[in-house]
Amino acid sequence: MSLLDWIVVGAFFLLMIGIGVWSKRKSSDSGDFFVGGGKVPWWLSGVSHHVSGHSGVVFVAYAAIAYNLGFTMYVWWALVIAGATLIGAKIFAPRWPRLRQKLGIQSPTEYLKMRYGLPAQQTIAWLGVLMKLVDIGAKWASIGVLMNGFTGLPIWQGIVLSGAVSLVYITIGGLWADLLTDFVQFGVQLVAGIVILIGVGQALSARGLNYLSMWGELNQIEPNFSSPFNGNYTMLWCALYLFAKTFEYNGGNWNLAARFISTSNGKEARKAELLSSLLYLVWPLLIFAPMWAGRLLHPGLEDPASQLYPLLTETYLPHGLIGLVLASMFASTMGMTVSDINTLSAVTQRDILPVLSRKFDEVMMGGAASLRLARIITVLFTVVTVVVGLNKDAFGDIIGMIITWFGALVGVTGMPLLLGLFKRFRHSDGTAAIVGIFFGVVTFAVSQIWKDDFPADWVTVGPMLVSGLFYLLIGAINKARGVEVPREVDEMLDYVGTNDDHVVA
């Protein structure tokens, strides 16, 4: 990192803060702060959904898989998520803004009180908050690791720096700051990706190759390098991963649901997710192409996760552009962390605090008090997650935090959250949701204790399948017993399931 590179990174951080300050004028209450007043255009929501769906892990762990196993990295990650978002655009995305129209929700879990009752809502909200605290901490830690690889600075300094910058712009500007910085961050990622694509392409050209002709040599180095399924990433793995990601990317991961809630109607939400799906088809090809070429240009790397992308950057790019690539990695991860914190604050303010104390009831009505509380909660959560990131080793390091903690809960809590939007599952009540979550978590715990006895495919989606099985089973029992569904629940489900995108509550 030269002085010019540091200037580029510094300019990036200043731009993020500037956007946050500019966005302050667009927030007058918590409705603006958390869901943009329901006025976010589809193209901005779609880009933000895409940016908020991946982090710096793409340039670390995924880079190693691309280097070692080849084209399958694109298939099981990017292509599968493109499919999950394409499915969601049809059946999930339009339901979220209709919930806001009907019930005035500002958080993804707010509707669960009517749908399942208070105990189930609080179970999902509290588990989700605990899950997100660890997950966001892991993302801060990944930023520290990336900065350490590029600059040699201690990991904790990267965590604190990125946390401090994010704290300023998300606290001031709320969702609008998050969305606008996501858009700018994607532009930074796009420019940096094209630059490194060209730089590595020139290195291939010096060897008489290009990105299309290199596959012949790559297949000689690693058989099946160009195969869509390689190593442990089989067709079954991809099918199960599609199942899991369909729930996660359409609302199981709360910050992604917030992108749809903030649009004006179902039609806009559908267009937003279609745009995100298209980006997952195209953009990852630009990211992974230099990584695949890296297997030819730099064979025999012992630790491609930490070596590959910094090596490609410093070898094939001039100073200044190295800083741009590092800024793009910051952008990739900060897009996720900031959107997570914004939604986490919404769930806490709207769904948890009013249950803990009646004095918080007034903030549900909006106004300056709700905005002030939203900012206070955002500050607290940012600080707590940075502290978690600084103590990552206590949670099993980054991989342990993301897989062991986040993976245990996102699927089993996402199942009742999304299936609860459909009338065909209306007989699955609060008991079904709580029992399903309980057995899903138990299944995950068992699979971790005796992980050597369970195939990786089962560890990935087994808890979700068990959770969904109990959820549907209890719903079927309720239906057979003739248990009545509350009238307001039926009305809400009819509304969110309508095909009329112009309906107004």
Side-chain angles (χ1 to χ4, degrees):
M1 291 281 287
S2 68
L3 176 60
L4 182 58
D5 294 315
W6 280 110
I7 291 174
V8 171
V9 173
F12 167 77
F13 282 140
L14 289 175
L15 178 61
M16 297 301 100
I17 294 174
I19 292 174
V21 173
W22 183 87
S23 301
K24 182 180 179 181
R25 69 183 72 179
K26 301 181 75 67
S27 295
S28 59
D29 59 18
S30 63
D32 295 327
F33 194 85
F34 291 135
V35 293
K39 301 175 183 178
V40 176
W42 66 269
W43 53 269
L44 184 57
S45 175
V47 171
S48 180
H49 182 277
H50 175 76
V51 172
S52 300
H54 58 84
S55 66
V57 71
V58 173
F59 305 99
V60 182
Y62 291 0
I65 298 172
Y67 180 87
N68 290 321
L69 297 179
F71 189 68
T72 190
M73 181 66 252
Y74 171 78
V75 173
W76 76 257
W77 180 66
L79 194 60
V80 162
I81 295 179
T85 48
L86 187 63
I87 294 170
K90 176 65 177 176
I91 64 175
F92 289 115
R95 296 172 187 264
W96 287 112
R98 292 172 192 153
L99 273 179
R100 179 184 49 76
Q101 291 174 328
K102 180 69 174 176
L103 304 177
I105 66 168
Q106 295 178 19
S107 83
T109 59
E110 194 171 343
Y111 92 99
L112 296 176
K113 183 178 180 180
M114 172 189 284
R115 177 64 178 85
Y116 296 125
L118 187 62
Q121 183 212 33
Q122 292 298 295
T123 298
I124 294 173
W126 277 97
L127 282 175
V129 167
L130 294 174
M131 169 187 70
K132 275 298 177 185
L133 289 176
V134 179
D135 180 50
I136 297 170
K139 292 166 184 172
W140 290 132
S142 69
I143 290 183
V145 171
L146 284 170
M147 192 163 187
N148 174 261
F150 271 80
T151 68
L153 290 177
I155 292 176
W156 72 267
Q157 292 186 12
I159 295 173
V160 171
L161 176 62
S162 55
V165 172
S166 300
L167 174 64
V168 172
Y169 77 78
I170 189 60
T171 302
I172 293 175
L175 182 74
W176 279 108
D178 185 10
L179 294 169
L180 293 171
T181 52
D182 279 350
F183 188 77
V184 173
Q185 287 166 359
F186 180 71
V188 172
Q189 291 180 46
L190 185 63
V191 172
I194 292 174
V195 166
I196 198 167
L197 184 76
I198 294 173
V200 174
Q202 290 174 341
L204 285 175
S205 179
R207 298 182 54 163
L209 298 172
N210 56 48
Y211 283 115
L212 294 178
S213 62
M214 70 178 181
W215 293 98
E217 291 193 23
L218 286 171
N219 283 320
Q220 293 177 9
I221 297 173
E222 172 65 34
N224 300 320
F225 198 86
S226 62
S227 173
F229 309 108
N230 196 6
N232 294 326
Y233 304 104
T234 62
M235 185 179 296
L236 176 61
W237 164 274
C238 291
L240 294 174
Y241 199 68
L242 173 63
F243 173 77
K245 292 302 173 182
T246 298
F247 282 88
E248 180 181 341
Y249 276 72
N250 289 288
N253 208 348
W254 294 344
N255 66 308
L256 300 180
R259 270 63 200 146
F260 306 135
I261 296 172
S262 62
T263 58
S264 58
N265 56 50
K267 183 178 180 180
E268 292 286 290
R270 181 182 295 111
K271 289 161 61 178
E273 190 158 18
L274 287 174
L275 174 59
S276 181
S277 181
L278 178 62
L279 292 175
Y280 272 109
L281 278 175
V282 178
W283 169 234
L285 287 172
L286 300 181
I287 298 176
F288 292 134
M291 300 178 188
W292 294 324
R295 185 64 185 269
L296 278 178
L297 300 173
H298 302 281
L301 293 182
E302 295 182 1
D303 183 17
S306 62
Q307 294 176 298
L308 179 59
Y309 217 75
L311 181 62
L312 293 175
T313 302
E314 68 183 33
T315 304
Y316 303 109
L317 297 183
H319 287 295
L321 294 182
I322 294 176
L324 179 66
V325 171
L326 179 58
S328 76
M329 294 185 186
F330 271 104
S332 179
T333 305
M334 289 168 68
M336 289 194 78
T337 53
V338 170
S339 63
D340 279 337
I341 290 172
N342 181 263
T343 309
L344 189 62
S345 301
V347 170
T348 302
Q349 176 166 329
R350 301 286 296 184
D351 306 328
I352 293 178
L353 291 182
V355 176
L356 295 178
S357 174
R358 295 182 62 87
K359 69 180 181 180
F360 291 107
D361 288 345
E362 64 182 71
V363 303
M364 299 289 287
M365 304 304 294
S370 68
L371 180 60
R372 182 167 57 252
L373 181 60
R375 286 179 169 145
I376 292 172
I377 296 172
T378 300
V379 170
L380 291 176
F381 272 131
T382 303
V383 172
V384 170
T385 54
V386 166
V387 171
V388 171
L390 292 171
N391 293 276
K392 60 184 176 61
D393 293 337
F395 296 90
D397 212 333
I398 296 174
I399 297 301
M401 294 165 76
I402 292 176
I403 296 178
T404 304
W405 293 77
F406 184 72
L409 299 174
V410 66
V412 296
T413 57
M415 186 73 70
L417 180 66
L418 280 109
L419 294 184
L421 296 170
F422 294 86
K423 192 167 185 177
R424 69 182 62 185
F425 305 120
R426 66 187 183 277
H427 287 94
S428 294
D429 56 9
T431 300
I434 293 174
V435 171
I437 291 171
F438 174 78
F439 281 102
V441 173
V442 169
T443 301
F444 182 85
V446 170
S447 68
Q448 288 298 305
I449 294 172
W450 291 286
K451 62 176 61 178
D452 293 337
D453 298 324
F454 289 88
D457 299 340
W458 171 256
V459 175
T460 302
V461 299
M464 283 187 66
L465 293 174
V466 171
S467 177
L469 176 63
F470 278 94
Y471 178 86
L472 297 176
L473 179 61
I474 294 176
I477 293 173
N478 288 339
K479 183 177 181 181
R481 292 173 55 198
V483 175
E484 292 188 5
V485 178
R487 180 176 58 83
E488 62 268 22
V489 172
D490 265 339
E491 289 180 354
M492 181 268 290
L493 293 176
D494 284 335
Y495 188 93
V496 300
T498 182
N499 290 321
D500 184 2
D501 288 317
H502 300 288
V503 69
V504 177

